[in-house]
Amino acid sequence: MKKLSKNNIITIALIIVVYAIVFVLEKVIDPNSMLFIVLKKGAIYALVAVSMNLLNGFTGLFSLGQAGFMLIGAYTYAIFTIPVEYRDAVYQYFGGGIVQFSIPVIPALILAGLVAALFAFLIGLPVLRLKSDYLAIATLGFAEIIRAFFQWDTLGPVTNGSNLLRKFPTFDSTLFPFTVAGICILLIVLLINSSYGRAFKAIRDDEIAAEAMGINLFKHKEMSFVISSFFAGVGGALLAMFQTTVQAMAFKSAMTYEILLIVVIGGIGSVTGSVLASFLFIACSEWWLRFLDAETYIGAFKVPLLRAGFRKVVFSIIIMAVVLFYRQGIMGDRELNFDRILRKRQKFIEKTQRGGK
């Protein structure tokens, strides 16, 4: 059996510490505080960003359909978990709906991913033969079409048309989205480090060379597309639980652009970067800069510029600065490597000791 490296041991220990801190914080801080809102949404966006990075960063496919697959996952979860006794109230304009049963939360999350993966498989058959901008346009078009399709009144007995889906199970504990997202990200990391992951990277680096090595390009592209969409569907289901309601109008193309921005800021080809950037993005956009939207007076003097919407201006400037000065993102294509950090620390200590002598 292969022994764990020092880097893996430290990483596992760090993850355990993070989960322990979240558990303790839930006991001493109001669970409805902004801290926990950021942690919950950050965990969900981290999962979706890593799933998008699997496709865009590790396989080299420029897809913009993530919001569409999240929508499918959110609707699938909501439709199959609304308790039977609430269906008449939720589907009041469609006679209580067609689905007259409910399933537990965990199977519903898996089903949400599977349905999104099924749509990805069908969509991938024609669109994955396209490249670059054409693939991006095709997947973006799919996301917009599926959003309009789910609001179609003819599908109302299933999707509730343009009305909200509600009354489905949600989560109160921050540990639930942390745990689900953590397991899913771990599975993606294991995939990236497998022979399939190496094939994905080969396709990203040079398709001609990869094909010459015997890699079936379309098969591996389809596999990456389907797997990425599965986890995006799970992320959409978690987002539905976080928001407590589902409506197709919420899953606009702007959501995909946010996730793509997170991937770019974190580093295309870095799982660690996507995770870190997700929490930083949510914290800055929804918490740390919120004071900029409030008019502020110091005595009789009104602080200039502070008003509703100014937060977005400052946030945009911060993003531009990050992109300009960290063109490869926070992590680039690297992962958090404690072995390298420890080696650099040791070299610094040795250099300092030699200088002292």
Side-chain angles (χ1 to χ4, degrees):
M1 184 177 178
K2 188 178 178 180
K3 291 184 178 180
L4 290 174
S5 67
K6 184 182 292 185
N7 182 67
N8 291 334
I9 294 173
I10 296 175
T11 302
I12 293 170
L14 181 62
I15 292 171
I16 293 173
V17 169
V18 169
Y19 276 81
I21 291 173
V22 172
F23 177 78
V24 172
L25 287 176
E26 282 194 321
K27 302 298 181 182
V28 298
I29 299 177
D30 180 12
N32 297 317
S33 67
M34 280 302 301
L35 172 63
F36 289 108
I37 291 174
V38 168
L39 289 176
K40 291 173 186 176
K41 194 171 182 179
I44 296 167
Y45 267 56
L47 169 57
V48 181
V50 171
S51 73
M52 190 175 197
N53 211 345
L54 171 66
L55 192 62
N56 291 29
F58 290 96
T59 315
L61 299 177
F62 188 30
S63 171
L64 293 176
Q66 218 70 1
F69 296 115
M70 291 175 69
L71 181 151
I72 293 169
Y75 266 85
T76 301
Y77 172 80
I79 289 168
F80 286 99
T81 55
I82 297 173
V84 176
E85 60 269 24
Y86 295 135
R87 289 188 178 271
D88 287 337
V90 174
Y91 289 89
Q92 57 182 325
Y93 301 110
F94 299 100
I98 292 176
V99 180
Q100 290 297 320
F101 63 91
S102 61
I103 61 178
V105 170
I106 299 302
L109 287 173
I110 297 172
L111 181 62
L114 291 175
V115 175
L118 175 61
F119 272 82
F121 175 78
L122 297 175
I123 295 298
L125 293 176
V127 304
L128 289 180
R129 302 185 188 279
L130 303 172
K131 293 184 179 180
S132 188
D133 299 343
Y134 299 102
L135 175 61
I137 293 169
T139 51
L140 180 61
F142 156 75
E144 292 298 307
I145 290 170
I146 204 71
R147 182 164 60 88
F149 185 68
F150 270 63
Q151 296 179 90
W152 188 24
D153 281 343
T154 303
L155 285 179
V158 178
T159 64
N160 209 21
S162 59
N163 304 298
L164 291 171
L165 286 175
R166 51 197 174 85
K167 300 291 187 181
F168 47 81
T170 60
F171 52 75
D172 296 323
S173 173
T174 308
L175 286 175
F176 183 83
F178 257 67
T179 303
V180 175
I183 292 172
C184 291
I185 291 172
L186 174 62
L187 293 175
I188 293 173
V189 170
L190 292 175
L191 174 67
I192 291 170
N193 292 324
S194 70
S195 58
Y196 291 106
R198 289 190 288 274
F200 295 158
K201 294 174 186 177
I203 293 171
R204 175 197 63 190
D205 295 337
D206 192 325
E207 288 192 8
I208 296 175
E211 191 171 25
M213 292 169 59
I215 296 173
N216 187 320
L217 298 183
F218 182 78
K219 173 187 172 183
H220 284 83
K221 286 181 180 180
E222 180 85 346
M223 183 185 299
S224 177
F225 192 58
V226 168
I227 293 172
S228 172
S229 301
F230 172 87
F231 290 112
V234 175
L238 290 174
L239 187 61
M241 298 177 76
F242 172 76
Q243 295 176 338
T244 69
T245 60
V246 174
Q247 189 175 33
M249 283 299 295
F251 295 86
K252 296 181 178 179
S253 56
M255 182 177 288
T256 297
Y257 300 147
E258 284 185 349
I259 298 163
L260 179 61
L261 182 60
I262 289 171
V263 172
V264 172
I265 291 174
I268 297 177
S270 172
V271 173
T272 307
S274 293
V275 173
L276 293 175
S278 297
F279 287 100
L280 289 173
F281 180 89
I282 299 300
C284 286
S285 62
E286 300 196 12
W287 185 17
W288 293 341
L289 302 179
R290 188 175 290 273
F291 72 95
L292 296 173
D293 282 346
E295 293 186 356
T296 304
Y297 288 84
I298 301 176
F301 175 73
K302 179 181 177 181
V303 179
L305 300 178
L306 297 186
R307 64 191 67 183
F310 187 60
R311 165 172 53 116
K312 294 182 179 179
V313 175
V314 175
F315 186 56
S316 300
I317 294 172
I318 293 173
I319 291 172
M320 290 175 62
V322 170
V323 172
L324 285 172
F325 294 102
Y326 294 90
R327 295 188 178 183
Q328 293 185 333
I330 297 172
M331 296 295 295
D333 59 355
R334 304 182 303 277
E335 303 294 348
L336 193 61
N337 191 320
F338 292 102
D339 289 339
R340 184 171 62 247
I341 294 172
L342 292 173
R343 284 196 298 271
K344 287 184 177 180
R345 178 177 176 272
Q346 184 61 34
K347 288 181 180 178
F348 176 77
I349 293 173
E350 292 175 355
K351 185 178 179 180
T352 304
Q353 289 175 343
R354 287 196 299 269
K357 294 179 181 178

